[in-house]
Amino acid sequence: MTKSYVTSIVIIFCTVLIETAILSNISVLPAVPDLLLLCTLYIGILNGKAAGEIAGFTSGVFLDFLSGAPFGFNCLYRTVLGFISGLLGISFNFEGILMPAVVGFSGTFIKVFFVWIISLLYPNVSVLYHVASVPFLFELACNTVFAPLVFKFLSLFKSSLSLKPEDD
Amino acid sequence: MAMRVRLSFKFRFPEFLLVILMLASGVCLGFSSGGFLVNFSRIGFSIISTVEKGVFAVSDTVKNTFGAVKELSELKKDYDELSKKLENYQQMQRSNAEIRKENEQLKTQLGFSQSVEQKNFPAQIISRDVDKLYASLTINKGSADGINKNMPVIAYQNGNIGLVGKIVEVGKFTSKIMPVYSLDCTISARIQNTRDLGLVSGMGTADESLSMKYIKKRVLSELHFGDVIVTSGENGNYMRDVPLGTISKIRVLDYDSSLDIELIPIIDFSRLETVIVVDQSRTNDGKAAQ
């Protein structure tokens, strides 16, 4: 169990660094693909609600440290996203290409929904997320395309990430 | 039986944990503008961004190494061409006037930081806003280099000086800048020609224009597209007369006594790599020496 959580946190930490130190500096990209979101969704799907929300919370904390967002902003909606992915993980099989792509696509939309909810609950949180804008559509497309790749890559660490012993 | 278990909702550990984590996040978010006794954000930023700086340095080195290999073959070509040209150039004598002009240009480029009256710290941008929700830039200089919170940040780009923003978070070896295009950034500014005072604020992203408000309608006839907007320096947050942008659009609103002016930022943020952090409280030793 400890091994799984430690592996999850290490993966999330590395993803944060890739996202902030490398991808954010590529000025050609209209938006940065949310690899952290995909990692959170994968961990939630694999290990259930508790692991999903912890992964979401951890990724949110790291992002809040590094981004200009008020502390707690990313934690809040990513925790809920992790919990939801944990709920879904029980019911569906996420192998292959299509299902991960659907998860990446819908996860991005759910993220926008929660960001909107937070902006309603916290009037001082000034948030800009235009669904019809190029940066959002680019992020949505990236998350959809990258989701199968990220899921496939993370499945390499499945034995370390999984809370359950693997079936023979 | 199994179906009934799946449909029923029980408040177990994951749900309890969700409430705890949401509560923690919510409280932090609620108080983040007010500030806690312990500033978690600053401590976390200081630690993680230092690692981030390391990753950036490694990726930059790798990128430069690959670039260097490619550059080497190009340099070989250039070298052959330049060797031929050099033979021609060696025969030419440059006049004193030309040399002086070239010298001045080089001085302008290389010695810009010395020309600023205040003590300043050149820095490199190591990361930008990850999402398009909150604007921020992280630089590779922190409190160990003498950077303090609220210091103004300027840049020298294409021969122009422009305001980049101000320092909002200082780590040990890194700092976070709130850029002028941030929604939270409001700057007291003047129209350079007419000296009318207004407030310039960002629209959230670097791609969008800046907005200037509180300029009275009566000065409409004196305004022109391309007029430069500079910092007023009145509240002491920024130096006086640092260019912010140029007027690109003027809207006259019937219900408002002020004009709604849009500005194109002087700085092209997508191409910005290095900035200069200015310490207004100290004078530049290099400048004094001159």
Side-chain angles (χ1 to χ4, degrees):
Chain A
M1 188 174 167
T2 313
K3 186 185 169 190
S4 167
Y5 283 115
V6 170
T7 312
S8 304
I9 290 169
V10 169
I11 286 174
I12 286 166
F13 187 66
C14 292
T15 313
V16 168
L17 293 177
I18 291 168
E19 216 171 289
T20 56
I22 300 169
L23 294 179
S24 74
N25 281 309
I26 306 172
S27 53
V28 184
L29 300 176
V32 178
D34 199 342
L35 302 180
L36 264 182
L37 175 79
L38 301 178
C39 288
T40 303
L41 293 174
Y42 180 83
I43 293 166
I45 286 163
L46 185 70
N47 289 332
K49 293 177 281 189
E53 63 204 24
I54 288 171
F57 182 80
T58 313
S59 62
V61 167
F62 288 150
L63 265 184
D64 281 334
F65 284 151
L66 293 174
S67 73
F71 192 73
F73 173 73
N74 283 296
C75 295
L76 191 53
Y77 75 82
R78 283 173 194 269
T79 302
V80 184
L81 270 168
F83 179 79
I84 292 171
S85 67
L87 272 176
L88 289 173
I90 302 164
S91 317
F92 298 102
N93 178 22
F94 288 92
E95 298 292 325
I97 293 174
L98 185 66
M99 282 311 285
V102 171
V103 169
F105 182 84
S106 47
T108 311
F109 266 112
I110 296 170
K111 169 185 152 180
V112 173
F113 173 72
F114 281 119
V115 166
W116 175 67
I117 294 285
I118 290 171
S119 72
L120 292 180
L121 296 173
Y122 293 88
N124 291 334
V125 176
S126 48
V127 179
L128 269 181
Y129 232 133
H130 302 299
V131 179
S133 65
V134 175
F136 172 73
L137 294 174
F138 181 81
E139 189 186 328
L140 181 69
C142 281
N143 289 352
T144 309
V145 172
F146 283 131
L149 300 172
V150 171
F151 279 33
K152 192 73 187 167
F153 176 74
L154 291 177
S155 67
L156 298 174
F157 306 98
K158 200 172 179 177
S159 57
S160 304
L161 275 173
S162 180
L163 285 170
K164 294 159 272 184
E166 276 201 282
D167 301 326
D168 293 321
Chain B
M1 179 77 176
M3 191 66 184
R4 200 178 65 191
V5 172
R6 198 169 281 181
L7 288 175
S8 65
F9 180 81
K10 287 182 181 175
F11 201 79
R12 288 180 183 156
F13 175 69
E15 286 76 18
F16 175 73
L17 192 63
L18 177 72
V19 173
I20 296 293
L21 292 180
M22 282 183 68
L23 210 62
S25 309
V27 170
C28 284
L29 182 56
F31 283 94
S32 58
S33 54
F36 259 86
L37 286 176
V38 180
N39 193 337
F40 295 108
S41 180
R42 192 169 61 82
I43 294 167
F45 170 73
S46 187
I47 295 166
I48 300 178
S49 60
T50 304
V51 183
E52 187 188 28
K53 185 182 172 185
V55 173
F56 174 78
V58 171
S59 68
D60 206 36
T61 310
V62 172
K63 196 174 79 182
N64 288 342
T65 308
F66 280 109
V69 174
K70 192 185 166 195
E71 210 174 324
L72 202 64
S73 63
E74 286 171 0
L75 280 173
K76 181 76 177 77
K77 277 184 191 171
D78 292 346
Y79 176 76
D80 295 337
E81 284 177 22
L82 286 170
S83 297
K84 286 178 187 172
K85 280 184 183 174
L86 190 65
E87 287 173 9
N88 297 330
Y89 283 138
Q90 278 174 338
Q91 294 168 359
M92 291 165 68
Q93 272 194 331
R94 281 194 277 181
S95 68
N96 282 341
E98 280 176 329
I99 292 168
R100 199 173 295 135
K101 194 178 175 185
E102 189 182 285
N103 194 24
E104 279 170 11
Q105 284 175 345
L106 287 171
K107 260 188 175 175
T108 316
Q109 285 178 2
L110 296 173
F112 169 69
S113 70
Q114 287 188 332
S115 70
V116 180
E117 285 180 11
Q118 293 86 357
K119 174 88 178 164
N120 57 77
F121 311 91
Q124 191 180 8
I125 295 171
I126 60 166
S127 104
R128 290 154 200 272
D129 31 326
V130 188
D131 49 36
K132 295 286 171 186
L133 301 175
Y134 287 94
S136 69
L137 303 168
T138 308
I139 55 169
N140 65 346
K141 293 277 169 73
S143 58
D145 304 287
I147 307 284
N148 288 319
K149 198 175 175 182
N150 292 326
M151 280 184 176
V153 183
I154 59 173
Y156 187 68
Q157 195 180 50
N158 303 327
N160 298 316
I161 303 165
L163 187 71
V164 174
K166 72 170 178 177
I167 301 287
V168 288
E169 196 85 66
V170 184
K172 189 73 179 165
F173 304 108
T174 52
S175 304
K176 198 187 288 177
I177 300 171
M178 178 172 67
V180 290
Y181 60 80
S182 168
L183 278 173
D184 300 325
C185 189
T186 305
I187 301 160
S188 172
R190 282 185 191 281
I191 297 168
Q192 196 175 41
N193 295 339
T194 65
R195 307 309 293 173
D196 285 291
L197 190 68
L199 287 179
V200 171
S201 51
M203 305 290 272
T205 63
D207 310 325
E208 288 182 81
S209 52
L210 304 174
S211 166
M212 186 172 197
K213 304 229 184 260
Y214 306 112
I215 297 293
K216 296 289 176 197
K217 280 182 178 173
R218 58 181 160 75
V219 296
L220 179 62
S221 58
E222 298 171 53
L223 300 181
H224 304 96
F225 295 110
D227 280 356
V228 179
I229 309 299
V230 294
T231 53
S232 72
E234 284 197 349
N235 49 14
N237 289 338
Y238 300 96
M239 298 90 71
R240 196 183 165 92
D241 289 332
V242 179
L244 273 162
T246 53
I247 296 177
S248 61
K249 202 173 188 179
I250 302 171
R251 266 198 302 266
V252 183
L253 304 169
D254 294 335
Y255 55 83
D256 201 340
S257 61
S258 308
L259 297 167
D260 186 13
I261 301 172
E262 281 186 16
L263 316 176
I264 297 173
I266 291 280
I267 299 295
D268 182 353
F269 285 92
S270 63
R271 291 182 176 178
L272 190 64
E273 289 179 36
T274 52
V275 294
I276 294 163
V277 184
V278 182
D279 184 354
Q280 295 188 89
S281 61
R282 290 155 70 193
T283 51
N284 190 352
D285 297 338
K287 174 88 177 173
Q290 286 177 347

